């Protein structure tokens, strides 16, 4: 009984000390950390969420160059995967916090510099992602008919910069409905054991109505023994490929494939050498590829040219070799080779008070859960630096009050989260008329006009 009473008394004393300390913090406005996050995609919102949850005084401002928030959740998720977009509900809750503000239509590095942000905030977190795409670097890449997968996804998702190319946009849906594409090849420079897609994605492709897969049995023969010791996700994925390539399909599947009018296939161990021009010299007609062999095994296997070449006739070529981050401001350290901001646990090297999270921190890899954990880690670094005194709260910072004056002087009109909710309501209303979840506005000028900017 005595020990229990002692523990309760200690807990109350501890809580009283925390409350006393908390009230002291409240009495000094200068001790409330002003933090800004650049980028309103998953990395930005998860960083803000963790900071707000674990620091009871922090004010977090999120800046975004587009009028609309949510980054790749809005512009990178396939329209037929609406469940992935449910995280928007969590991000909206964060934005509704009375200690969080959203400012869209503000381009950092142009409308306001990072140095100016650092003067206005105790901590600046760069979470602007990877907005560029890697290039193949081969002759003919600029021919008509050659696009990056990023541009294609941006087109059907209504990304403003790709709007001319379902929440799929009405124009994209009409174009795809009229498409005469009958066969799609997915080409990889390595083999089946190095593919980057998931079993869920493969299963969806195999079950795609009106299509049949083209898998060469020779690519999968003998893989059964090889995959015994590989990690379970890779093993299950490979087993599904092997089953689809080598086993006789069931009656229902065979019937569906027999009546299919479209095909897709996997072509392994081919590396692009040149996009071949049509007779007019302007349009792509095909691609020449080096046949490769693998040196090493597993994830570390390298594709080495064999000296043989292969040509594939095709009028549309989409390069899907990854995204790439760009330097935001000349004052920020940047590794152009890796395409990231050099950092240690999210702390930008040689720049106290500057942090990074998401793809610009680690490179364009992983899924939303990866970004969530990564962003929480960066936010934790900020919290630790606040606690240790590395970020000096005694230095008064004005936060957005200071930035607002800069933006006003430069004729920039930020979009608030309530402004976004007006755009959101308009999109949903337009979608309802078309029998879909929303019809996205794709012109920033139309978005700004809607909210009276």
């Amino acid at each position: 009984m005595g020990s229990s009473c002692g523990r309760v008394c200690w807990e109350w004393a501890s809580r009283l000390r925390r409350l006393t300390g908390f009230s002291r913090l409240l009495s000094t406005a200068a001790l409330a950390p002003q933090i800004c996050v650049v980028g309103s995609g998953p990395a930005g919102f998860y960083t803000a969420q963790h900071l707000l949850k674990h620091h009871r005084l922090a004010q977090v401002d999120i800046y975004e160059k587009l009028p609309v928030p949510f980054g790749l959740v809005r512009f990178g998720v396939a329209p037929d995967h609406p469940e992935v977009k449910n995280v928007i509900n969590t991000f909206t809750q964060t934005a509704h916090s009375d200690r969080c503000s959203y400012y869209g239509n503000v381009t950092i590095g142009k409308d306001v510099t990072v140095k100016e942000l650092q003067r206005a905030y105790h901590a600046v977190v760069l979470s602007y992602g990877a907005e560029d795409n890697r290039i193949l670097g081969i002759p003919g890449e600029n021919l008509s008919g050659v696009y990056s997968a990023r541009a294609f996804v941006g087109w059907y998702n209504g990304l403003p910069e790709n709007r001319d190319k379902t929440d799929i946009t009405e124009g994209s849906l009409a174009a795809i409905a009229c498409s005469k594409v009958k066969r799609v090849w997915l080409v990889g420079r390595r083999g089946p054991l190095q593919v980057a897609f998931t079993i869920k994605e493969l299963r969806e492709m195999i079950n795609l109505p009106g299509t049949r897969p083209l898998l060469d049995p020779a690519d999968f023969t003998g893989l059964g023994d090889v995959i015994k010791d590989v990690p379970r996700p890779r093993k299950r994925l490979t087993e599904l490929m092997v089953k689809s390539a080598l086993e006789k399909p069931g009656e229902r599947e065979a019937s569906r494939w027999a009546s299919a009018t479209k095909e897709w296939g996997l072509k392994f161990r081919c590396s692009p050498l040149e996009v071949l021009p049509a007779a007019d010299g302007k349009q792509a007609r095909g691609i020449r590829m080096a046949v490769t062999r693998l040196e090493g095994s597993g994830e570390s296997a390298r594709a080495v040219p064999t000296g043989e070449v292969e040509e594939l006739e095709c009028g549309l070529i989409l390069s899907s070799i990854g995204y790439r981050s760009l330097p935001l401001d000349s004052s920020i350290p940047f590794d152009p080779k890796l395409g990231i901001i050099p950092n240690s646990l999210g702390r930008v090297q040689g720049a106290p008070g500057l942090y990074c999270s998401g793809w610009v921190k680690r490179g364009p890899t992983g899924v939303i859960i990866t970004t969530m954990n990564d962003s929480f880690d960066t936010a934790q670094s900020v919290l630790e630096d606040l606690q240790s005194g590395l970020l000096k709260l005694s230095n008064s910072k004005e936060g957005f009050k200071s930035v607002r004056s800069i933006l006003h002087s430069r004729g920039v009109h930020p979009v608030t989260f309530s402004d976004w909710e007006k755009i959101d309501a308009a999109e949903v209303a337009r979608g309802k008329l078309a029998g879909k979840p929303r019809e996205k506005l794709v012109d920033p000028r139309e978005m700004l006009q809607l909210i009276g900017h």
Side-chain angles (χ1 to χ4, degrees):
M1 177 70 73
S3 64
S4 175
C5 179
R7 185 171 63 252
V8 171
C9 291
W10 181 88
E11 287 176 354
W12 272 106
S14 176
R15 182 173 297 176
L16 184 60
R17 283 196 299 272
R18 289 202 304 271
L19 289 172
T20 304
F22 183 53
S23 63
R24 279 202 301 270
L25 285 173
L26 284 175
S27 67
T28 311
L31 295 183
Q34 299 286 328
I35 304 169
C36 89
V37 174
V38 178
S40 68
F45 266 103
Y46 279 130
T47 301
Q49 175 188 321
H50 194 84
L51 289 167
L52 293 166
K53 181 179 180 181
H54 296 283
H55 197 296
R56 301 168 79 182
L57 290 173
Q59 169 68 41
V60 181
D61 294 338
I62 301 174
Y63 290 89
E64 167 61 50
K65 73 172 186 176
L66 293 174
V68 294
F70 309 134
L72 281 183
V73 177
R74 178 179 168 96
F75 295 119
V77 174
D80 58 343
H81 288 72
E83 72 284 354
V84 180
K85 301 187 182 186
N86 289 338
V87 292
I88 285 177
N89 299 328
T90 303
F91 299 161
T92 298
Q93 288 178 5
T94 298
H96 283 164
S97 165
D98 57 6
R99 292 184 290 116
C100 183
S101 298
Y102 167 83
Y103 300 108
N105 196 42
V106 178
T107 303
I108 305 304
K110 176 188 169 190
D111 299 331
V112 59
T113 68
V114 174
K115 287 291 186 188
E116 288 169 331
L117 289 179
Q118 287 182 288
R119 286 194 287 270
Y121 293 91
H122 293 103
V124 175
V125 185
L126 304 173
S127 306
Y128 60 88
E131 59 183 351
D132 197 15
N133 51 270
R134 295 170 63 190
I135 61 171
L136 292 167
I138 60 174
E141 190 169 7
N142 296 322
L143 289 171
S144 179
V146 182
Y147 304 94
S148 70
R150 176 186 176 276
F152 181 65
V153 172
W155 168 69
Y156 67 62
N157 269 324
L159 182 64
E161 67 185 75
N162 300 126
R163 64 184 183 272
D164 296 324
K165 308 276 182 217
T166 247
D167 53 349
I168 187 172
T169 62
E170 201 64 39
S172 307
L173 186 60
I176 291 172
C178 296
S179 168
K180 296 179 181 178
V181 174
K182 297 298 182 185
R183 180 180 294 167
V184 175
W185 286 107
L186 287 82
V187 181
R189 58 193 166 85
R190 298 193 291 173
L193 292 175
Q194 290 80 34
V195 296
F197 52 76
T198 66
I199 190 170
K200 181 176 183 289
E201 291 164 337
L202 177 62
R203 195 176 286 122
E204 288 177 344
M205 288 293 293
I206 291 172
N207 295 325
L208 199 62
T211 70
R212 61 173 163 263
L214 299 174
L215 303 180
D216 186 348
D219 288 328
F220 303 94
T221 304
L223 286 187
D225 293 332
V226 179
I227 61 173
K228 288 179 180 177
D229 299 321
V230 301
R232 188 168 182 269
R234 171 71 66 185
K235 182 179 180 181
R236 291 177 61 236
L237 170 60
T238 309
E239 285 173 343
L240 180 56
M241 285 191 284
V242 169
K243 179 177 183 291
S244 302
L246 301 181
E247 294 184 14
K248 186 177 180 180
E251 189 174 328
R252 180 184 296 180
E253 206 166 51
S255 174
R256 183 167 59 84
W257 289 354
S259 62
T261 58
K262 299 179 181 180
E263 302 172 321
W264 64 272
L266 299 174
K267 188 175 284 291
F268 296 109
R269 291 178 288 276
C270 287
S271 182
L273 291 174
E274 177 186 5
V275 177
L276 304 172
D280 63 5
K282 298 177 181 178
Q283 179 73 33
R285 68 164 177 85
I287 187 166
R288 179 176 292 125
M289 302 175 292
V291 177
T292 66
R293 59 179 175 80
L294 297 186
E295 285 187 354
S297 60
E299 301 295 334
S300 61
R302 292 175 58 249
V304 179
T306 62
E308 296 179 55
V309 296
E310 181 178 330
E311 290 187 4
L312 187 64
E313 293 291 318
C314 48
L316 176 64
I317 299 168
L318 301 174
S319 64
S320 182
I321 56 173
Y323 289 65
R324 185 169 65 112
S325 295
L326 297 173
L328 188 66
D329 191 304
S330 59
S331 66
I332 303 169
F334 190 80
D335 184 330
K337 186 175 181 182
L338 297 177
I340 62 170
I341 296 173
N343 69 92
S344 175
L345 298 176
R347 297 177 178 93
V348 176
Q349 291 179 8
L354 195 59
Y355 303 82
C356 57
S357 67
W359 282 3
V360 77
K361 170 187 173 184
R362 71 177 191 277
T365 59
V367 292
I368 287 180
I369 190 72
T370 322
T371 295
M372 181 187 76
N373 292 328
D374 166 88
S375 302
F376 287 175
D377 288 344
T378 292
Q380 196 59 38
S381 292
V382 177
L383 294 170
E384 289 170 5
D385 292 349
L386 285 168
Q387 186 175 14
S388 70
L390 186 65
L391 297 176
K392 300 187 186 304
L393 295 183
S394 56
N395 297 334
S396 179
K397 302 279 188 174
E398 292 190 317
F400 181 68
K401 182 180 178 182
S402 173
V403 175
R404 179 170 51 202
S405 301
I406 295 171
L407 296 176
H408 180 74
S409 70
R410 295 171 185 168
V412 179
H413 304 286
V415 171
T416 65
F417 202 78
S418 59
D419 289 333
W420 147 247
E421 290 180 320
K422 293 175 186 175
I423 297 172
D424 179 46
E427 291 184 343
V428 171
R430 292 185 182 198
K432 190 174 182 181
L433 293 175
K436 51 195 288 196
R438 73 173 62 237
E439 180 61 37
K440 288 178 183 171
L441 297 176
V442 296
D443 188 341
R445 290 172 299 182
E446 189 178 359
M447 296 176 191
L448 297 176
Q449 188 177 14
L450 178 71
I451 57 177
H453 274 43

